[in-house]
Amino acid sequence: MERIREFLKYLESEERASVHTVEAYGRDLHQFAEWLNESDVPWENVRPADVREWIGTLADEGMTPATLRRKAQSLRAFFRWGRIRDMFQSNPAADTPLVKKRRRLPDFIKEGDMENLLEDTLPEDFSAARTHVILTLLYSLGLRQAELLGLTDADIRADGLELRVTGKRNKQRVLPVPPQLKDIIRQWQKRRDEHFPDLPAPRSLIAGPHGALSKEMLYQIVRQGLAGVSTGRRSPHTLRHSFATAMLNHGADIDAVREMLGHASLQTTQIYTHISYKELMANYAGAHPRSRKRKDNREH
């Protein structure tokens, strides 16, 4: 459908939406278009009741609240865009209730596990060295997976102590690189250039033979690299959560953590304070004599 293609192009070029968002909205809109076709309802005649019925059908099929919420947002954004361009007379999704997402604390890896996993020097094996650099960068700087894949040598300052990161909506931030991490990056660049001497410029920091790794390849590398740690999920985002949790557990200012993570809102960062509090209570329950005394009394 031409209007959907135009809308997705608008999201990408004018709204600077991420590739993931554009793909997700595209799937949602095409799915709704199929439902309209089966229901014999033209786009111009879509009513709020139609939107609610579609969302309700998906809910009955067992779709998660987070996905239902996004689908409603996809329609809301599409009709709002179309109305501005006189394609539609109203926005039938404007008043569709957004399903509340279940608030779930993100998985993270304990500091001790990460310290045991990450050595101070690169392994000799090339694949092991690449895994080590990936895990170290994600955990040390709290990068998103797309941010890591987008890094090139040009993003590293000459002295190696700062890294320019391009985040969501192409917003850039500069992150400090500790000397130890700088040395690991330098070692890795030399190893990478020896292994892939014909990489195109600017060279992807984390590269395969033809340039930047795919997100699927990165996910597999991280998952295998974290095989020995205990956590619910082993993903690049788990390491981002682990970075934020470690920072707050050691007294970092929450606004500084927000800046390093590239969050637009402080509210997004505050979820990690809940994780830190949970860890604090677990340590208290296991260590403080008054806590142990209450526990012993309950057992008797």
Side-chain angles (χ1 to χ4, degrees), residues 227-296:
V229 302
S230 58
T231 183
R233 295 188 62 195
R234 297 174 177 84
S235 70
H237 221 63
T238 302
L239 289 169
R240 179 171 162 86
H241 297 325
S242 303
F243 160 83
T245 305
M247 289 282 289
L248 290 169
N249 279 343
H250 288 280
D253 179 78
I254 190 171
D255 199 55
V257 176
R258 180 188 68 80
E259 289 286 344
M260 291 196 71
L261 290 171
H263 285 160
S265 168
L266 188 63
Q267 185 177 3
T268 309
T269 316
Q270 285 175 332
I271 187 171
Y272 299 108
T273 63
H274 299 311
I275 298 175
S276 300
Y277 178 76
K278 185 179 178 181
E279 280 288 285
L280 180 66
M281 290 304 297
N283 278 278
Y284 173 77
H288 197 279
R290 297 298 298 175
S291 175
R292 292 204 307 272
K293 184 175 180 180
R294 287 195 297 272
K295 181 180 178 182
D296 292 341

Side-chain angles (χ1 to χ4, degrees), residues 78-93:
F78 174 71
F79 281 111
R80 181 171 60 243
W81 168 84
R83 189 181 181 191
I84 292 172
R85 287 157 180 76
D86 295 324
M87 295 179 184
F88 308 113
Q89 294 183 352
S90 63
N91 183 346

Side-chain angles (χ1 to χ4, degrees), residues 109 113-114 116-117 222-231 234:
I109 303 168
D113 290 343
M114 288 305 304
N116 291 335
L117 189 64
V222 171
R223 186 176 182 182
Q224 293 169 11
L226 296 177
V229 302
S230 58
T231 183
R234 297 174 177 84

Side-chain angles (χ1 to χ4, degrees), residues 120 122 160 177-188:
D120 293 337
L122 283 183
V177 177
Q180 182 177 329
L181 179 55
K182 181 198 78 170
D183 293 340
I184 289 176
I185 292 174
R186 293 297 190 219
Q187 293 172 40
W188 161 248

